Amino acid sequence: MPSSQPLPFLRIVADDLSGAADCAASFADAARPIPVYLHGLPQGPCWALDTDTRAMDEASAVAETRRVFGQLAAGAGSQPVYKKIDSTLRGHLGAELTAALAAAPQFVAGLVAPAFPQQGRTLEGGKVVVHGRPGADLVALLEAAGLKTALMRPAAAGELLASIAAALAAGARAIVMDAATDDELALVANALLQPSAPRLLAAGSAGLARALAAQDAREPAFDTPASGPAMTVVGSFSPASAAQAAQVEQGGDALVLRLTAPQWAGERHAALRQDALATARTALAQGRHVLFAVAGEVVQPFTRSLVQAIAAATAPLVPQTAACVLTGGDTARAMFDALGIACLQVGGELEPGIPYGRAASQGARRFILKAGGFGDALALQRVIRRFGVNPGVRAPS
């Protein structure tokens, strides 16, 4: 049975939907789901909220972060808050952390640990490393936002808290934690949960959230999805998502239907789009899995209107499915908006970084979310095969 002990960090504020669900899944199981909200400021002790600020311009993101954390400061009491950030530092991390600390002065500083070793994302010397390749400089990013920064390596709780205290005394407003392994993140989590720890705003990816959740003595309940057709919508344009969709097609695991960006969004291509949807509707009625994706190159930065168009087109097919697999946080949010879903009850994850949940209006149907860059080439194939192996089907050429 799951533990009845209170869980830490169950007020999660994320800048995108897949991140909110990732972090909620770290603490949830089938017997104890965590609600993930898309709007407003939730009530109660246990929730995650997608502020959707990654998709906003910086000024709007700062205003929304200030609003949310200002309301939290007024009513949160002593309960900690977890600020979910991207493991590769996408979004407005520095500006949002500055705004959150200003709006919620009970936090003396932010502790920033974006590493997610299980997805190949670490932090070395204050710089992101993704599968061995160097990425953004977190220390430089935070200092550019006006936050005095101290860089540290994880250590035993007493030693780490002493280092943090010294940094705070010297005026640090952001404590950046290098981490290359789950064990190092566990050291950070252990220090944060010590009674003597200062009031820090924990800011991290699902990697640190998983480390914090591991401090709660519970027995996870593994959920086995019911068999039935799954519809996958790949609205992420990352190379990882493209490779995963290609593997699904190569393995014959789903009917793969691709339209170009103009064909998804353009009115003059409505007939072609309806033909593709009719093909998908027939396949789902036959119990076959279907995957929708974008053909050809998508010019970056793309507008959100493309994933919104894909979601609007494919949402009417959802009632025919046992599961809806959504790749990319923008894709998931667009689909939920199209379906009128304001809250997802996250019950856990199928594997690290791939949470699942249910919505009250959708009965037993599962929604599986995957960040675009997460997972190896077989990740989508493994998810789809949980709903039964599909007969080999190829889209007409």
Side-chain angles (χ1 to χ4, degrees):
M1 295 293 293
S3 167
S4 60
Q5 297 178 11
L7 295 176
F9 293 95
L10 273 192
R11 292 187 179 192
I12 299 164
V13 180
D15 66 352
D16 86 320
L17 183 54
S18 60
D22 284 348
C23 287
S26 300
F27 297 96
D29 58 41
R32 186 173 55 188
I34 305 298
V36 176
Y37 294 92
L38 278 69
H39 307 284
L41 186 71
Q43 302 299 312
C46 303
W47 48 260
L49 171 67
D50 169 28
T51 60
D52 199 30
T53 50
R54 189 183 302 175
M56 299 178 185
D57 61 77
E58 184 172 297
S60 299
V62 166
E64 178 64 7
T65 301
R66 187 180 295 119
R67 182 190 70 81
V68 169
F69 275 87
Q71 292 182 10
L72 282 172
S78 61
Q79 187 168 0
V81 178
Y82 190 84
K83 178 72 172 80
K84 194 278 174 185
I85 61 175
D86 182 61
S87 56
T88 61
L89 312 187
R90 290 179 298 166
H92 311 288
L93 192 161
E96 287 191 32
L97 184 59
T98 301
L101 292 173
Q106 71 266 36
F107 298 115
V108 296
L111 184 143
V112 190
F116 194 172
Q118 289 182 313
Q119 291 294 340
R121 288 109 189 269
T122 62
L123 197 74
E124 300 287 343
K127 297 179 181 179
V128 171
V129 178
V130 181
H131 294 296
R133 298 186 298 274
D137 187 328
L138 175 57
V139 172
L141 183 156
L142 293 174
E143 290 183 342
L147 293 168
K148 184 174 181 179
T149 302
L151 176 63
M152 298 181 187
R153 195 87 204 179
E159 180 183 347
L160 183 54
L161 289 177
S163 297
I164 291 173
L168 295 176
R173 290 285 280 162
I175 309 298
V176 172
M177 299 301 310
D178 274 349
T181 66
D182 289 337
D183 287 342
E184 288 190 315
L185 287 177
L187 290 173
V188 177
N190 185 45
L192 281 170
L193 297 176
Q194 294 299 310
S196 59
R199 291 293 304 278
L200 297 169
L201 174 57
S205 69
L208 181 58
R210 291 170 68 86
L212 287 161
Q215 306 295 315
D216 171 54
R218 66 191 177 102
E219 297 178 10
F222 295 100
D223 185 85
T224 303
S227 180
M231 182 178 79
T232 301
V233 181
V234 181
S236 165
F237 312 117
S238 73
S241 290
Q244 291 160 3
Q247 182 61 43
V248 169
E249 185 170 29
Q250 180 180 340
D253 292 280
L255 170 66
V256 177
L257 296 165
R258 292 186 176 88
L259 298 178
T260 65
Q263 288 168 347
W264 275 118
E267 187 57 38
R268 68 189 183 93
H269 297 290
L272 177 63
R273 190 162 56 247
Q274 289 305 314
D275 285 346
L277 295 171
T279 300
R281 189 175 292 109
T282 299
L284 290 169
Q286 295 169 347
R288 298 171 176 172
H289 306 316
V290 172
L291 183 149
F292 291 103
V294 179
E297 182 180 359
V298 177
V299 178
Q300 301 286 1
F302 62 91
T303 65
R304 261 191 147 181
S305 60
L306 176 54
V307 291
Q308 289 169 342
I310 297 171
T314 57
L317 301 179
V318 170
Q320 290 185 246
T321 69
C324 185
V325 185
L326 302 167
T327 295
D330 284 347
T331 308
R333 189 170 185 101
M335 180 62 76
F336 288 175
D337 285 344
L339 294 172
I341 295 173
C343 178
L344 183 71
Q345 294 285 342
V346 172
E349 52 189 4
L350 301 183
E351 56 186 73
I354 305 182
Y356 67 85
R358 296 175 178 171
S361 63
Q362 298 292 318
R365 184 170 298 108
R366 311 299 174 84
F367 289 90
I368 295 94
L369 280 60
K370 189 190 76 66
F374 278 9
D376 59 26
L378 302 178
L380 273 182
Q381 186 180 70
R382 288 194 298 272
V383 170
I384 291 170
R385 287 185 176 182
R386 283 177 173 265
F387 297 89
V389 176
N390 197 65
V393 180
R394 294 283 190 266
S397 58

